[in-house]
Amino acid sequence: MKLFRYGQPGQEKPGILIDEIKYDISAFISNYDEAFFETDGLKRVADLVKQKPEGLVRLNGDVRLGSAVARPSKIVCVGLNYKDHAAEVGAALPKEPVIFIKSNSALNGPYDDIVIPQGSEKTDWETEFAMVIGKKASYLKEEQVKDYLAGYVLHNDVSERAFMFERNGTWDKGKGCDTFAPIGPYLVTTDEIPDTGNLHVWMSLNGKLMQNGTTADMIFNPFYLVAYITQFMTLYPGDVVSTGSPAGSGAGFKPPVFLKPGDLVECGIDGLGSQRQRVKAYTGV
């Protein structure tokens, strides 16, 4: 299944894509949030699809899409998880996953604007394969992980490099700015993507291809990452785990390339759809 949320920011309703047609299912499901996932919501949606009740309302194709999941308790990200990306930024391959938390206030729709923060000099992009947790998870083993997942999402891990590396402290400073976590367009259930090991990951800037990688280049595979993270924190239903980005981020170019107002960012991953964002300057509004 491919699930989405649509409507104005803060007022999104749940929907489902069936045969490339979008349907509203808010008469049956309130939201794709923690309560939905922990109460077997995916099965309820699957039953709806089989029954095709009258309450499935067909939507216009041009509705605004919000983040594919409602605000999760946390967005856990992995840094330097692709061999080619570590090489391009001159970093040693990590012996254990590098993890950080991205603020859930950074959540953004897949086609919403990216806003360059006040004082930013080095806003960058990172196209990432991410997973949505389906049930409470703690101290998992790698072979258990798939049973704990609700599905997969596309995530653009927008990053401000000067905030990350030149302003002291942790990476979180440059990761959690407003609009820095576009997620979607769809939450794709795990049955739709049986193999996550060789998915094409791409990103273009103003029509020029910048990232052109594959999940096969990951240092640590997605299921291992979830198991690893649960050794340090409990993951709750609806939480997002993002698995890092291949080479081609702006910081990796010589000279570096960073986002500026008016830029057009497009990115995608096999099976997860694509995103499209216009870059705007912070105006205080």
Side-chain angles (χ1 to χ4, degrees):
M1 297 185 294
K2 290 184 172 68
L3 310 181
F4 62 88
R5 296 170 64 249
Y6 80 97
Q8 293 304 305
Q11 302 176 32
E12 290 93 347
K13 296 179 180 180
I16 186 168
L17 189 73
I18 304 174
D19 297 329
E20 301 304 315
I21 298 172
K22 295 183 177 74
Y23 291 90
D24 172 279
I25 58 171
S26 60
F28 308 95
I29 302 294
S30 60
N31 209 343
Y32 299 140
D33 55 13
E34 183 174 339
F36 167 81
F37 294 113
E38 69 182 357
T39 57
D40 213 9
L42 289 177
K43 183 180 184 302
R44 286 184 280 129
V45 173
D47 290 343
L48 275 176
V49 174
K50 291 178 183 177
Q51 297 163 8
K52 295 186 178 178
E54 293 294 326
L56 288 183
V57 179
R58 184 168 176 164
L59 298 170
N60 293 327
D62 59 353
V63 294
R64 174 196 172 264
L65 298 187
S67 164
V69 293
R71 184 179 293 185
S73 77
K74 52 190 170 293
I75 304 169
V76 186
C77 299
V78 179
L80 299 174
N81 191 39
Y82 282 71
K83 301 179 189 74
D84 57 359
H85 177 53
E88 75 174 346
V89 298
L93 297 185
K95 295 180 180 179
E96 292 190 43
V98 176
I99 62 175
F100 59 92
I101 301 292
K102 194 175 183 89
S103 172
N104 59 15
S105 59
L107 212 64
N108 205 22
Y111 309 116
D112 292 346
D113 296 334
I114 292 172
V115 179
I116 296 177
Q118 186 174 12
S120 168
E121 300 173 350
K122 299 178 180 180
T123 295
D124 202 348
W125 60 83
E126 290 187 309
T127 307
E128 305 201 358
F129 175 86
M131 296 165 284
V132 178
I133 303 301
K135 54 186 177 181
K136 186 177 178 180
S138 183
Y139 296 109
L140 295 184
K141 295 179 180 178
E142 184 177 343
E143 59 268 24
Q144 296 176 292
V145 167
K146 192 169 184 179
D147 291 337
Y148 281 76
L149 297 180
Y152 309 125
V153 290
L154 172 61
H155 171 217
N156 184 358
D157 177 23
V158 186
S159 310
E160 213 297 341
R161 304 301 187 186
F163 293 1
M164 288 172 64
F165 300 122
E166 301 169 25
R167 299 286 296 272
N168 296 329
T170 67
W171 288 5
D172 299 13
K173 270 184 191 175
K175 293 287 191 174
C177 305
D178 290 352
T179 75
F180 271 25
I183 288 179
Y186 307 113
L187 166 63
V188 180
T189 51
T190 57
D191 58 295
E192 299 244 347
I193 303 180
D195 181 10
T196 64
N198 192 22
L199 303 176
H200 182 212
V201 182
W202 64 271
M203 177 272 172
S204 68
L205 177 64
N206 301 322
K208 179 180 179 181
L209 189 65
M210 308 297 273
Q211 290 188 289
N212 188 28
T214 168
T215 57
D217 197 48
M218 284 188 185
I219 299 167
F220 305 104
N221 76 70
F223 296 167
Y224 174 85
L225 290 172
V226 172
Y228 180 87
I229 290 166
T230 65
Q231 309 309 303
F232 302 96
M233 66 188 77
T234 297
L235 295 173
Y236 286 93
D239 281 357
V240 175
V241 174
S242 199
T243 61
S245 191
S249 65
F253 286 90
K254 293 180 176 52
V257 178
F258 296 117
L259 296 175
K260 61 186 184 301
D263 280 345
L264 179 65
V265 174
E266 297 174 279
C267 61
I269 296 178
D270 286 348
L272 300 183
S274 61
Q275 299 184 357
R276 186 176 189 270
Q277 295 113 19
R278 187 67 68 178
V279 179
K280 292 192 175 182
Y282 175 78
T283 62
V285 179

